[in-house]
């Protein structure tokens, strides 16, 4: 049976979190002399002399309007990379516990595991980039705390079968993290709807992709209240800075603009797939639910170097297991995609 108390690190269970000035007094006042800030102001047009809201309440309220998830079920991080690290630090005992990763997938899960001295047990995806449920079941033991599933997956672009993720959620006593960084580009439903169903589910999303805010570093985790409470306890007090909070709030008013970009990205993705298929050096293009495509070629290194020499940078994934010969290409603007295709037309000439 899943029980958060069996998963939490003892030191985290016992932890008294840092209590910031903004935690200890919440509300309006005329004179704030409680946080050792500079009372005179900032040497900027916009003032940043005050610490930001540690729990980002205004931003969460807006995210609640968009996602239908109450603030108590939302964690906001300095990018979703921070949420990944906080999950390790909350649940995994260094040198003792392990997590399951299903490569080829997003590289930070393994890096975060290594930083935290947590064994990463790798169970390769199948040839069609789906979960090997039997392999995962064999890899799980009593010290397995987390399973990371990226859907749509980076770098393969496909979505992971929903029923397989539900099988894990229903049978694994640890936490299943479903990373939906690319969900806005997908035809699949988000797992956010399943939060009420599964207490051991963490869904991660980010403002870095469809929302076009990679530079602000705002990522989200949606989970049960008890998981979110732990994550908030472990995070640095002011993990999302004031300008990021303000700008993210402002950006989240522009849903229509973002939806237009998503549509355009999908149109351009289809265009790229159709055009790339025609090249002799393209062996296969995997179906993508994301804003990038994984393209298997006869000469990944040659094409990569050629594109670099023309000032075009794609991601060379040819050294990654199950991605041999493959380049990952992000969908650009129509003009950028035209430049890419025109340049590829001259490859080998
Ligand atoms: N998850 C996946 C699958 C990603 O591809 C990325 C970024 N490349 C992230 C998370 C990190 O996102 P953020 O910018 O929110 O840290």
């Amino acid at each position: 049976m899943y029980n958060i108390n069996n998963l939490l690190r003892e030191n985290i269970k016992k932890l008294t979190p840092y209590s910031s000035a903004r935690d200890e007094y919440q509300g309006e006042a005329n004179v704030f002399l409680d946080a050792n800030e500079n009372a005179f102001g900032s040497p900027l047009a916009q003032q940043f002399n005050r610490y930001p809201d540690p729990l980002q309440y205004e931003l969460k309220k807006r995210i609640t309007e968009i996602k239908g998830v109450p603030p108590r079920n939302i964690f906001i991080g300095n990018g979703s990379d921070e949420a990944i690290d906080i999950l390790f630090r909350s649940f995994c005992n260094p040198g003792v516990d392990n997590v399951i990763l299903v490569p080829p997938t997003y590289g930070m899960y393994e890096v975060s595991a290594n930083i935290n001295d947590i064994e990463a047990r790798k169970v390769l995806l199948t040839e069609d980039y789906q979960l090997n449920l039997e392999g995962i079941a064999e890899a799980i033991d009593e010290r397995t705390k987390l399973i990371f599933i990226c859907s749509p997956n980076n770098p393969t672009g496909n979505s992971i079968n929903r029923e397989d993720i539900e099988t894990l959620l229903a049978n694994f006593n640890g936490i299943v993290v479903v990373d939906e960084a690319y969900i806005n580009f997908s035809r699949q439903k988000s797992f956010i709807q399943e939060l009420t169903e599964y207490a051991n589910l963490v869904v991660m999303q980010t403002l870095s992709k469809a929302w076009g805010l990679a530079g602000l570093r705002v990522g989200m985790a949606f989970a049960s209240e008890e998981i979110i409470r732990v994550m908030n306890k472990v995070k640095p007090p002011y993990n999302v800075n004031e300008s990021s909070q303000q700008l993210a709030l402002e950006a989240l008013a522009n849903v229509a603009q973002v939806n237009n970009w998503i549509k355009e990205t999908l149109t351009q993705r289809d265009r790229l797939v159709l055009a790339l298929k025609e090249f002799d050096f393209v062996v296969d293009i995997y179906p993508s639910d994301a804003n990038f495509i994984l393209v298997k070629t006869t000469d990944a290194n040659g094409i990569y170097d050629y594109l670099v020499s023309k000032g075009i940078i794609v991601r060379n994934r040819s050294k990654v297991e199950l991605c041999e010969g493959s380049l990952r290409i992000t969908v650009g603007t129509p003009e950028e995609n035209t430049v890419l295709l025109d340049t590829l037309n001259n490859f080998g000439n």
Side-chain angles (χ1 to χ4, degrees):
M1 269 290 283
Y2 165 81
N3 178 344
I4 194 170
N5 289 313
N6 301 336
L7 297 174
L8 273 173
R9 290 173 62 181
E10 277 306 313
N11 61 314
I12 301 301
K13 234 187 260 179
K14 289 194 216 126
L15 179 74
T16 306
Y18 179 71
S19 178
S20 70
R22 288 293 167 274
D23 290 316
E24 291 186 8
Y25 180 85
Q26 295 169 8
E28 299 301 315
N30 293 328
V31 182
F32 276 104
L33 302 175
D34 59 349
N36 298 349
E37 298 149 339
N38 181 343
F40 297 97
S42 319
L44 291 169
Q46 201 183 345
Q47 298 298 292
F48 290 105
N49 55 322
R50 301 297 179 183
Y51 282 104
D53 174 3
L55 290 171
Q56 309 100 9
Y57 193 66
E58 290 303 316
L59 193 49
K60 282 180 187 166
K61 266 202 321 205
R62 178 69 189 127
I63 292 170
T64 296
E65 287 170 9
I66 297 174
K67 304 280 176 186
V69 178
R72 62 178 179 279
N73 297 106
I74 305 173
F75 166 87
I76 303 184
N78 185 355
S80 39
D81 282 345
E82 184 179 42
I84 297 169
D85 181 62
I86 287 180
L87 289 169
F88 277 102
R89 289 196 283 141
S90 303
F91 294 104
C92 302
N93 290 290
V96 176
D97 291 331
N98 66 72
V99 300
I100 308 280
L101 308 182
V102 290
T105 192
Y106 180 44
M108 265 317 277
Y109 313 138
E110 185 172 6
V111 173
S112 237
N114 289 339
I115 290 169
N116 288 287
D117 191 19
I118 305 302
E119 180 194 353
R121 299 193 170 175
K122 295 186 209 160
V123 182
L124 271 189
L125 293 176
T126 58
E127 289 285 324
D128 57 351
Y129 297 147
Q130 291 298 331
L131 298 179
N132 168 2
L133 284 182
E134 276 176 32
I136 292 173
E138 277 168 31
I140 291 172
D141 67 13
E142 70 286 356
R143 300 254 48 114
T144 307
K145 297 295 188 68
L146 311 169
I147 300 180
F148 284 89
I149 310 289
C150 185
S151 183
N153 188 33
N154 176 7
T156 59
N158 64 298
S159 296
I160 303 296
N161 288 337
R162 199 174 181 86
E163 309 78 63
D164 289 353
I165 298 177
E166 296 209 34
T167 301
L168 287 179
L169 282 163
N171 294 293
F172 177 50
N173 293 332
I175 290 171
V176 178
V177 183
V178 181
D179 183 347
E180 295 186 338
Y182 299 98
I183 192 70
N184 304 78
F185 304 105
S186 173
R187 288 154 300 181
Q188 306 293 321
K189 265 198 320 193
S190 165
F191 262 83
I192 277 186
Q193 280 90 348
E194 310 301 328
L195 282 172
T196 45
E197 200 70 32
Y198 300 104
N200 60 339
L201 169 64
V202 175
V203 179
M204 294 198 309
Q205 294 188 2
T206 178
L207 299 188
S208 296
K209 308 296 176 182
W211 283 92
L213 300 170
L216 290 191
R217 313 303 303 128
V218 179
M220 299 157 286
F222 304 93
S224 70
E225 213 176 326
E226 54 182 11
I227 293 178
I228 296 299
R229 218 180 291 125
V230 171
M231 295 180 77
N232 282 335
K233 200 163 112 161
V234 173
K235 77 177 184 67
Y238 304 113
N239 62 324
V240 182
N241 70 64
E242 179 64 26
S243 60
S244 290
Q245 290 193 42
Q246 283 181 18
L247 291 169
L249 193 59
E250 200 181 316
L252 287 171
N254 282 320
V255 181
Q257 165 77 81
V258 172
N259 283 339
N260 282 338
W261 279 330
I262 292 168
K263 266 196 219 120
E264 181 69 9
T265 300
L266 301 191
T267 305
Q268 289 298 316
R269 184 177 75 195
D270 291 346
R271 169 194 171 203
L272 277 180
V273 170
L274 279 179
L276 287 167
K277 266 188 190 153
E278 298 304 316
F279 291 115
D280 289 343
F281 53 78
V282 171
V283 178
D284 204 359
I285 303 177
Y286 300 97
S288 171
D289 270 339
N291 66 339
F292 57 84
I293 46 179
L294 190 68
V295 183
K296 192 178 174 80
T297 67
T298 52
D299 180 13
N301 293 336
I303 298 165
Y304 178 82
D305 290 342
Y306 165 72
L307 287 176
V308 170
S309 77
K310 301 292 179 192
I312 299 171
I313 315 301
V314 298
R315 200 82 189 263
N316 189 348
R317 299 280 83 181
S318 59
K319 300 258 177 332
V320 175
E321 200 167 5
L322 287 185
C323 297
E324 291 81 6
S326 296
L327 300 172
R328 192 194 71 188
I329 304 176
T330 307
V331 177
T333 62
E335 298 74 26
E336 288 172 333
N337 300 330
T338 299
V339 172
L340 171 76
L341 293 171
D342 288 351
T343 307
L344 283 173
N345 242 330
N346 292 318
F347 176 65
N349 292 345

